[in-house]
Amino acid sequence: MGRDSKCTLPVELVLIICSLVRRVDLPAFLLANKLLNIVGTPRLYSNIELYDVRSVCACLDTLEMSPEDTSFGRDLAQCVRTILINRDCRFLLTDVRTGTPPQPFEHKLVNIAPRLVNLQRLRSGENTQPAQHTLLDALAATPHPQLEILELELGWAANLQESNALPSPSFPKLHSLHVCASAHLTARQICVLYDVLAATSAQLHSLALAIPLPYGFLSILPSDAQYPSLKHIEVPWNALRHIAAQMGHVRSLLVGPSVTEHDVEVFSTTWFPSLEEVACAHYDLSAFLCPANDGRRSIHTVALDHASYERNGGKFLEDIPSWADVAATLRCLKYSAVPIRHLRFTVTRVDAQSLAHTLCELKELESLLIILDSQPSQNTLVTWGTTVLPTLPRLHTLRISDAAFKYDRWDSRFWLARDVELQRTLLDGYARHAPALRLVAFTTEFEWEKGADGEWRTTEDVEAEVGTDPLEKDWSSEESGWSDNDYSDEETESDESDEDEDEDEDEDEDGE
């Protein structure tokens, strides 16, 4: 396209073309001509997801610009629909030369907030330094008619003078509110959150309040508020008895770990009778799935230790249990009034035989997530395909996550994280033993999807690397190796001591 040429395509067609361009190529594409720039720029700034510190600063600097300073006099802040800022970014915003923190980027968000009139979702941390004006204040002070999801981590904030009027929050479409407090809430924060909950309680579908009771949890809950649409809540354990009456009808619950055994003992079987999904510490599951016939809940989804899967991440409690503890907890699953269909847990390591023995009764299981704190060997992954998968005929989603292994290990991942050919070989074996499989992940780097033609494809482009299994001593180089005879006598990993492993090997040799 020449410099002086003009684009005469209809705007609708230009929008379709822009939607097909990869986001990484979109900035250069929009420089082709004026029409592409005008039509495509709103898409460029509509969904902003930032993980890199420099990107955060550069993006917010651009959004902070006044319309007079931008091309064609546009207010770029009005183009934004979603802003997701990784919480770790705010801890890395330091001046490399002096070592002192610059102005927190939340101050820039505070300045931009009144102009984000089309914002639908925001996830960001609050101020890390005491401040007079917080992001929560700025959002509540101006109407945000399109805001649907708000996720904030509250930090330090100084109390404003009493003469400063409290904002009147206007979030007519807000249906998901997630607030986490790492310190005691100030009087002003309590008042603003109280007003937000009072104004939105009737429309909220999801509410997460990671605020300990001593920090002001009870102070922000309106006593007369009703939550007729609420389906999911996240609260500390000691807050359950305070919300059982108002929010006992919810179907999904994520609760923090209990502190003492007494906390579990006083949990009433009449609380949350409609519960279908629960995420809790593994040692707390018995409170929700108990043998009492009159108190059995219809729970079909269980996430032990808050296990969840995300691209290059995921959530889990830091105290990772052993397989013995997890296996003991999974015995409670039989006390659900309905079959378990979705299961997620975190574990240090687990061998295939033990896993198959524990899961063999979950015939209705459809999805399984296992977050491992140690690297699995190729032998282990192969054996899972021949021993675990045949016991789960309905399983369509299997994810193995290295989120715990990556935790506090910078630039770490499973050894096979980008070994595309090895993963494809594993998938071929899995498909023979579990034909229902449709989605598989061996790490958090990428996933595999099975198409209608039966072929497995990665969900994104991958820079393939050949991995070296550090745990296998003598692995056969044969490509096929998938017959049951090859793996009928495979040794499985064990959590026992080295001495016990030697004894087991001696017994195997005697048997042969």
Side-chain angles (χ1 to χ4, degrees):
M1 185 177 292
R3 174 182 297 181
D4 298 330
S5 64
K6 296 182 179 180
C7 180
T8 58
L9 296 175
V11 174
E12 293 79 4
L13 186 56
V14 175
L15 284 171
I16 295 175
I17 295 174
C18 290
S19 67
L20 299 176
V21 179
R22 296 191 310 169
R23 290 191 63 85
V24 67
D25 299 326
L26 194 58
F29 179 76
L30 298 182
L31 296 177
N33 59 50
K34 183 177 180 180
L35 178 61
L36 288 177
N37 192 284
I38 293 176
V39 175
T41 295
R43 179 175 181 265
L44 178 63
Y45 288 94
S46 61
N47 297 304
I48 301 174
E49 189 168 359
L50 303 171
Y51 293 91
D52 179 75
V53 175
R54 293 182 180 179
S55 299
V56 173
C57 295
C59 181
L60 295 183
D61 285 339
T62 302
L63 295 178
E64 199 175 12
M65 296 172 59
S66 63
E68 293 77 14
D69 298 329
T70 63
S71 300
F72 311 117
R74 295 171 297 195
D75 189 349
L76 298 178
Q78 294 186 5
C79 300
V80 178
R81 301 293 187 272
T82 301
I83 299 181
L84 305 178
I85 299 179
N86 182 15
R87 67 181 302 272
D88 293 333
C89 286
R90 56 197 187 89
F91 298 112
L92 303 176
L93 286 175
T94 56
D95 192 314
V96 177
R97 293 170 298 177
T98 63
T100 58
Q103 185 185 41
F105 71 75
E106 293 90 346
H107 288 197
K108 297 181 181 295
L109 272 177
V110 168
N111 298 332
I112 300 170
R115 294 160 46 207
L116 297 173
V117 293
N118 295 310
L119 186 65
Q120 297 176 357
R121 181 182 180 185
L122 172 63
R123 182 178 69 201
S124 175
E126 265 281 10
N127 299 74
T128 57
Q129 302 283 335
Q132 290 296 315
H133 299 280
T134 70
L135 179 57
L136 180 62
D137 258 11
L139 291 170
T142 54
H144 288 80
Q146 305 301 324
L147 188 61
E148 299 178 358
I149 303 174
L150 179 59
E151 305 170 53
L152 291 179
E153 183 172 347
L154 303 181
W156 294 101
N159 281 305
L160 301 184
Q161 298 180 1
E162 295 181 359
S163 58
N164 292 348
L166 286 170
S168 298
S170 177
F171 306 135
K173 292 187 177 181
L174 186 69
H175 61 73
S176 180
L177 176 63
H178 187 168
V179 179
C180 175
S182 56
H184 289 273
L185 296 180
T186 65
R188 187 175 183 85
Q189 287 174 332
I190 290 175
C191 291
V192 174
L193 286 174
Y194 182 96
D195 290 343
V196 170
L197 285 173
T200 62
S201 61
Q203 66 199 45
L204 285 178
H205 295 170
S206 177
L207 177 61
L209 299 175
I211 305 172
L213 264 67
Y215 288 6
F217 178 90
L218 297 178
S219 302
I220 66 174
L221 291 178
S223 58
D224 57 346
Q226 300 296 322
Y227 302 86
S229 302
L230 195 62
K231 299 178 181 178
H232 173 79
I233 57 173
E234 301 179 20
V235 293
W237 183 274
N238 53 6
L240 292 176
R241 60 188 180 91
H242 297 286
I243 64 171
Q246 283 181 304
M247 309 177 189
H249 60 282
V250 297
R251 297 183 178 181
S252 176
L253 169 66
L254 184 148
V255 61
S258 61
V259 179
T260 65
E261 293 182 2
H262 178 70
D263 293 336
V264 179
E265 293 174 355
V266 299
F267 188 87
S268 174
T269 56
T270 61
W271 295 349
F272 308 102
S274 303
L275 204 59
E276 298 178 356
E277 304 176 11
V278 61
C280 62
H282 66 277
Y283 46 79
D284 291 331
L285 184 62
S286 59
F288 301 96
L289 294 175
C290 56
N293 292 327
D294 57 343
R296 293 194 177 187
R297 300 173 176 85
S298 300
I299 296 177
H300 57 68
T301 300
V302 174
L304 299 182
D305 301 302
H306 300 180
S308 67
Y309 183 93
E310 294 178 9
R311 171 76 166 83
N312 272 330
K315 297 179 180 179
F316 57 93
L317 297 181
E318 295 183 13
D319 187 12
I320 300 176
S322 66
W323 171 245
D325 293 333
V326 173
T329 298
L330 295 181
R331 296 191 187 102
C332 298
L333 298 181
K334 61 185 177 182
Y335 298 128
S336 174
V338 297
I340 301 297
R341 300 204 306 268
H342 309 282
L343 177 62
R344 308 191 295 269
F345 62 86
T346 308
V347 68
T348 53
R349 57 184 298 180
V350 57
D351 68 84
Q353 298 292 347
S354 298
L355 184 62
H357 177 73
T358 303
L359 301 183
C360 65
E361 297 181 0
L362 304 181
K363 301 299 183 182
E364 302 295 324
L365 194 65
E366 299 177 8
S367 69
L368 175 64
L369 166 64
I370 303 176
I371 302 179
L372 293 173
D373 189 35
S374 58
Q375 300 210 59
S377 67
Q378 183 173 349
N379 186 8
T380 297
L381 294 173
V382 169
T383 311
W384 282 14
T386 57
T387 59
V388 178
L389 296 184
T391 66
L392 306 173
R394 294 182 177 271
L395 190 71
H396 58 69
T397 300
L398 172 64
R399 289 187 174 105
I400 303 170
S401 169
D402 53 6
F405 180 77
K406 288 181 176 180
Y407 186 73
D408 281 344
R409 295 184 180 102
W410 293 104
D411 197 27
S412 296
R413 55 180 179 267
F414 282 172
W415 63 274
L416 77 162
R418 297 179 184 174
D419 196 329
V420 176
E421 291 305 317
L422 173 60
Q423 293 188 26
R424 192 184 301 275
T425 302
L426 291 170
L427 285 171
D428 290 340
Y430 285 10
R432 288 209 293 270
H433 295 284
L437 273 180
R438 292 293 180 269
L439 181 65
V440 175
F442 294 98
T443 71
T444 57
E445 299 284 321
F446 63 94
E447 295 175 282
W448 293 84
E449 286 183 339
K450 189 176 184 179
D453 57 357
E455 295 294 326
W456 289 96
R457 297 179 179 85
T458 60
T459 54
E460 56 190 274
D461 296 334
V462 182
E463 295 182 5
E465 299 176 1
V466 177
T468 301
D469 186 354
L471 305 177
E472 287 293 333
K473 297 179 181 179
D474 184 18
W475 179 253
S476 173
S477 60
E478 297 181 4
E479 292 294 333
S480 56
W482 271 103
S483 66
D484 293 340
N485 293 332
D486 290 335
Y487 303 108
S488 59
D489 294 326
E490 289 290 352
E491 295 173 7
T492 57
E493 295 181 4
S494 172
D495 291 326
E496 303 296 331
S497 63
D498 294 339
E499 182 177 351
D500 292 337
E501 290 179 355
D502 293 339
E503 293 176 1
D504 292 339
E505 291 176 2
D506 293 339
E507 292 176 2
D508 291 343
E509 293 175 358
D510 293 340
E512 293 174 357

